[in-house]
Amino acid sequence: MDRSLPPDAYAEFLARHPEYRSTFHLDALRAVEYGRLDEHGQVYLDYTGAGLHAASQVRLHAELLNTQALGNPHSASPSSSRTTELVEGARRAVLEWFGAAGDYTAIFTANATGALKHVGESYPFTANGRLLLTVDNHNSVNGIREFARAAGTAVAYAPLTVPELRLDLAALDALLSEAQPGASNLFAFPAQSNFTGVKHPLDLVARARARGWDVVLDAAAYVSTNRLDLREVQADFVCVSFYKMFGYPTGVGCLLIRNASLDTLHRPWFAGGTVNFASVGGRRHILSPGEAGFEDGTLNYFSIAAVEIGLRHLAAAGIDTVQTRVDCLTSWLLERLVAMRHTNGRPMVRIYGPLTTTMRGGIVTMNFYDPQGHLLDYRRVEEMAGQQGISLRTGCFCNPGPGETAEGITDEDVAAAIARNPDLTLPLFLQTIAHEGGKSAGAIRVSFGIASNFADAGRFVEFAASLRDQTRLAIGEASFDIESCRVFRDGS
């Protein structure tokens, strides 16, 4: 492999980012809690996909489970009562972490997707209401539009700017002015893009609510490395997944609902655990108030007991310290990738989103190109990275909008591809548009988190440098001019 980093690279990095020194205690944390990474030579760069658990989280959780009898909480027995105490303790810890105690209700779900589904199926969409989404949204947010369409609600998307893929605030402002007075108007956007890492302005929450919108804030990609205080950002509905925050447990997320907005949602059904009363003969039911009316069946109470342990771990590490480290590593990686050139002088890498860390999180999404500007197959790049112990993520990351905007993929491109293959998949779509239009439907994503260090970033830079003058991985004959962001064919 091309070892492109000079021996003094780390010293130069520290000179350019002196604030990184304030994060040195995270190196000690990595050695104790995440030692398996270095023991096995693993470079983990997929923190947006999933956080890594600390060894102590699993140990403390196992000790908790193995030292007491815990039963289904839907009873008053000693084992059930102790489980209820643990669940409610975790609920309080979540509310306190987000500055939400007293103003919000915390509803445990299977994940952020489950939280968003609650909103979609329970929001009172009507034919005279509005649903406003942003082009930069996870598919679990995009899916809310199907509930809106079924009710006849008008659906609109706020566009992104090119090339930074930030929200077009002028266009968004115009769309926000279309709220229908007296109707149900819902606006949903991410605090941080899981595609580009762009941090969208959180003051949009107050601006939208002042203009008659209820607001969904997707915080899943944001809260693992950033502090979110709901005393300042008073979104009506906020979703998170805890495994993205601190790796363990999986299978538990949360919907935080502003108490003043709780009665806005109307559940379309009921289940065990969600009703105070239900009758078969009378065909009546009375939904339980608050969070109980949304927590279907028996909660994942063993895993929920681990949430408070994870929050304590993140607090001990220091969320602001993690953010500082991630910012430094992201800034350095962007600089190195943008500077990479083939021997003929052509750029090797295209970055999706801003080239600086201004209003940008610890995500760097890119594609590689050969010396003639042909797109390299991101799937092969992932395979090669894996052979060197580097874990990253490829595809569209369940967020097709930013990639479609950056690559100029049109409705016509999508319709034509589906017409050719009604069972279209992302790999088939990639092959079609790469061959016919020189575009990419996917990319390569690197993301940093609590256990990341300079060596991780350096290993990826060395790997990226090994693709210099690479031609065997190109897809098709279409070329891409990275400098001008124009798509063209050879000879045109």
Side-chain angles (χ1 to χ4, degrees):
M1 181 170 58
D2 178 5
R3 297 284 178 180
S4 65
L5 293 183
D8 59 351
Y10 185 51
E12 291 180 359
F13 166 76
L14 290 177
R16 290 181 62 84
H17 301 281
E19 65 274 26
Y20 189 83
R21 295 180 183 275
S22 69
T23 74
F24 278 177
H25 74 271
L26 294 180
D27 294 320
L29 186 74
R30 172 173 171 137
V32 173
E33 297 282 13
Y34 306 92
R36 60 193 183 275
L37 292 173
D38 296 322
E39 289 170 10
H40 299 289
Q42 292 292 305
V43 176
Y44 187 79
L45 296 172
D46 190 24
Y47 287 88
T48 301
L52 289 181
H53 70 270
S56 64
Q57 289 175 251
V58 178
R59 184 181 67 252
L60 291 170
H61 188 220
E63 290 174 358
L64 185 153
L65 298 183
N66 291 333
T67 56
Q68 51 197 308
L70 300 174
N72 188 316
H74 293 156
S75 183
S77 70
S79 60
S80 296
S81 296
R82 178 55 182 145
T83 301
T84 298
E85 290 175 4
L86 291 172
V87 169
E88 295 311 312
R91 199 186 310 276
R92 286 192 299 273
V94 170
L95 290 168
E96 290 169 4
W97 180 266
F98 292 109
D103 297 319
Y104 281 78
T105 294
I107 297 165
F108 287 119
T109 61
N111 42 41
T113 296
L116 291 162
K117 187 170 184 285
H118 270 323
V119 177
E121 70 181 8
S122 302
Y123 192 78
F125 291 114
T126 61
N128 62 338
R130 294 287 186 273
L131 172 63
L132 176 57
L133 305 173
T134 56
V135 167
D136 185 1
N137 257 322
H138 193 279
N139 273 339
S140 296
V141 179
N142 288 326
I144 293 175
R145 72 190 185 202
E146 300 308 306
F147 293 107
R149 284 174 171 171
T153 300
V155 179
Y157 274 92
L160 306 177
T161 62
V162 176
E164 291 207 330
L165 302 177
R166 300 186 187 275
L167 283 174
D168 184 331
L169 296 180
L172 175 59
D173 188 67
L175 289 166
L176 288 174
S177 70
E178 297 178 0
Q180 295 298 302
S184 297
N185 306 289
L186 187 64
F187 170 49
F189 75 103
Q192 177 175 299
S193 172
N194 76 313
F195 190 108
T196 63
V198 165
K199 293 180 181 179
H200 298 299
L202 293 181
D203 64 2
L204 288 174
V205 171
R207 289 163 57 185
R209 288 187 57 214
R211 300 178 76 169
W213 296 85
D214 297 317
V215 179
V216 177
L217 182 66
D218 177 4
Y222 182 80
V223 293
S224 62
T225 58
N226 299 275
R227 187 178 301 279
L228 177 63
D229 189 338
L230 295 180
R231 289 166 296 197
E232 300 175 3
V233 183
Q234 297 183 358
D236 298 279
F237 314 105
V238 181
C239 70
V240 298
S241 277
F242 294 113
Y243 79 95
K244 290 184 181 290
M245 291 182 69
F246 36 75
Y248 181 85
T250 57
V252 182
C254 188
L255 173 63
L256 293 155
I257 302 180
R258 199 167 63 92
N259 289 338
S261 304
L262 189 58
D263 289 341
T264 302
L265 301 185
H266 303 286
R267 298 218 64 193
W269 80 311
F270 68 93
T274 67
V275 288
N276 283 349
F277 172 80
S279 168
V280 173
R283 300 191 182 184
R284 299 285 191 276
H285 74 277
I286 298 174
L287 201 68
S288 300
E291 68 275 354
F294 290 85
E295 292 177 342
D296 299 329
T298 299
L299 288 170
N300 188 350
Y301 53 88
F302 277 0
S303 291
I304 289 172
V307 169
E308 188 171 2
I309 295 170
L311 289 172
R312 289 201 301 265
H313 175 73
L314 194 53
I319 189 68
D320 297 326
T321 302
V322 173
Q323 182 181 10
T324 296
R325 172 163 287 213
V326 164
D327 285 348
C328 293
L329 295 174
T330 303
S331 177
W332 182 82
L333 179 60
L334 285 168
E335 292 169 1
R336 300 292 299 202
L337 292 174
V338 170
M340 286 186 176
R341 294 289 188 274
H342 292 289
T343 54
N344 66 2
R346 295 193 71 161
M348 293 174 58
V349 184
R350 181 189 184 185
I351 303 294
Y352 295 94
L355 301 183
T356 72
T357 54
T358 301
M359 287 294 288
R360 192 191 209 289
I363 296 171
V364 180
T365 298
M366 71 206 81
N367 265 315
F368 289 92
Y369 295 81
D370 75 5
Q372 286 69 51
H374 299 149
L375 174 69
L376 300 188
D377 190 334
Y378 65 77
R379 296 163 297 181
R380 281 287 290 127
V381 173
E382 180 182 28
E383 180 183 352
M384 293 171 64
Q387 291 168 355
Q388 297 179 20
I390 300 173
S391 295
L392 43 78
R393 189 160 294 268
T394 62
C396 74
F397 323 116
C398 296
N399 184 353
E404 291 175 355
T405 299
E407 295 286 350
I409 296 173
T410 65
D411 294 346
E412 290 75 17
D413 291 330
V414 175
I418 292 176
R420 290 190 191 93
N421 190 337
D423 297 321
L424 188 67
T425 63
L426 181 61
L428 287 174
F429 187 54
L430 167 69
Q431 186 176 25
T432 299
I433 64 171
H435 278 290
E436 299 183 4
K439 304 174 184 180
S440 174
I444 299 155
R445 187 182 72 190
V446 164
S447 54
F448 296 111
I450 189 171
S452 297
N453 62 13
F454 179 76
D456 292 336
R459 281 273 298 276
F460 182 75
V461 166
E462 290 173 344
F463 166 72
S466 73
L467 301 177
R468 182 172 289 112
D469 297 331
Q470 176 68 255
T471 59
R472 293 179 296 108
L473 307 181
I475 303 176
E477 298 301 323
S479 296
F480 185 85
D481 183 342
I482 300 172
E483 301 285 16
S484 64
C485 288
R486 287 189 301 109
V487 176
F488 63 97
R489 287 183 178 275
D490 285 342
S492 64

